[in-house]
Amino acid sequence: MGIATTSLLGTPLLLTNKRAKTPDSRVVDNTAAQLAESPEDIQAQSQGALYANKDIHDARLAGMFQGDEVGNTAQLDLAKVQMFYFTVIAAVSYFVSLATLIQKPGSVAELPALSQGFIALLAISHGGYLVSKTTDHSNSKPA
């Protein structure tokens, strides 16, 4: 629980610094071409080096797997993908353990324990995700 909470609270803290930066104009032009938007629209709706949709109706499920910055918003963010798949695999394996426990005769006294290896992999997954948030994908400069 603490590992997931650290990612939940750490991500906005790490991205705060990027709101005070300005993305490189070549990166803005490249992203505008990839998203079929004008560079002026990209700059108007960005929050520093972070990309923001113009309207809530522009949000898509695919956005969950795209980068946060102007420089990588049109591309797949591998840190988000790995964390998503690891979370799905972890949830499925835990629920399989839980289902196996419930099917055994007798009462269930406690939930299945997480192994030390499982916790270590979870920490590595979240750590890699947080480290990726510190990388500058927009060649940004202080505003």
Side-chain angles (χ1 to χ4, degrees), residues 89-113:
I89 291 167
V92 167
S93 67
Y94 189 78
F95 285 116
V96 165
S97 296
L98 186 60
T100 303
L101 183 67
I102 290 172
Q103 289 178 353
K104 289 182 181 177
S107 65
V108 177
E110 59 187 29
L111 294 173

Side-chain angles (χ1 to χ4, degrees), residues 60-67 72-73 75-85:
R60 302 284 178 260
L61 188 61
M64 187 168 72
F65 299 107
Q66 293 172 326
N72 70 344
T73 193
Q75 292 136 16
L76 196 61
D77 186 343
L78 292 180
K80 288 182 177 183
V81 172
Q82 72 82 24
M83 193 157 134
F84 174 79
Y85 281 115

